Amino acid sequence: MDEQLNQEYEGFVCDSDQKAEWCIRKIKEAEEDTRRWELHYKNQLDKIRETNNSTITYMTAQLQKYLAAQVAAGLAHITKTTEKYSLPSGTLETKHGTLEYLKDDKKLVEWLKSADMMDLIKTEVRQSPIWAELKKLTTVVEDGHVVLTDTGEIIDGLEAHVKEDTFSIK
């Protein structure tokens, strides 16, 4: 391409206002041509992405159904948190949603103080709950409330929600 341009403009010298104006027009034409091609290819790429994303979404849904059928047939590897089925080209896997705690350490510390549970507060630079120990004493009830298992008291500053299952192809 560069060789073709060199031949096309071989011997050209910008040595007058008219030639300088012509150079400016050629630059503007080239910039506009570039913008048109960029738009054209962007539109083409957008269409390709849309088509491919539809294919991926549809095929993924089919594979999720297939994994569920393999689980039902007892052919998949099942653990407490995952279901897997291996194929030569990849492994279908569903990871079950886990319980996620949303903690407000400041509120939790205040609640632990009011519940006379000072042994569950660690004091380093600032006070914070000893989460591993506190978690052992809790139960999650409806609406994401976390309660003290022994008393049923709702713990202020602590909520729980279940993350959604995730499906992947590895």
Side-chain angles (χ1 to χ4, degrees), residues 39-63:
L39 180 60
H40 170 77
Y41 283 114
K42 181 192 174 302
N43 290 338
Q44 293 299 315
L45 184 58
D46 288 347
K47 289 176 187 174
I48 291 167
R49 280 192 177 121
E50 185 179 324
T51 299
N52 288 340
N53 285 339
S54 292
T55 298
I56 291 167
T57 300
Y58 179 78
M59 294 301 169
T60 299
Q62 293 300 309
L63 288 171

Side-chain angles (χ1 to χ4, degrees), residues 28-40:
K28 287 181 179 179
E29 288 172 7
E31 289 173 343
E32 181 56 33
D33 189 48
T34 298
R35 277 192 292 276
R36 274 195 314 273
W37 281 110
E38 284 175 344
L39 180 60
H40 170 77

Side-chain angles (χ1 to χ4, degrees), residues 60 64 67-68 71 79-83 93-99 161-168:
T60 299
Q64 284 179 292
L67 175 58
V71 167
T79 67
K80 186 177 178 182
T81 59
T82 62
E83 298 168 345
E93 178 180 88
T94 295
K95 286 187 181 181
H96 298 296
T98 56
L99 198 56
H161 70 86
V162 177
K163 291 183 184 177
E164 291 186 21
D165 292 353
T166 58
F167 177 78
S168 63

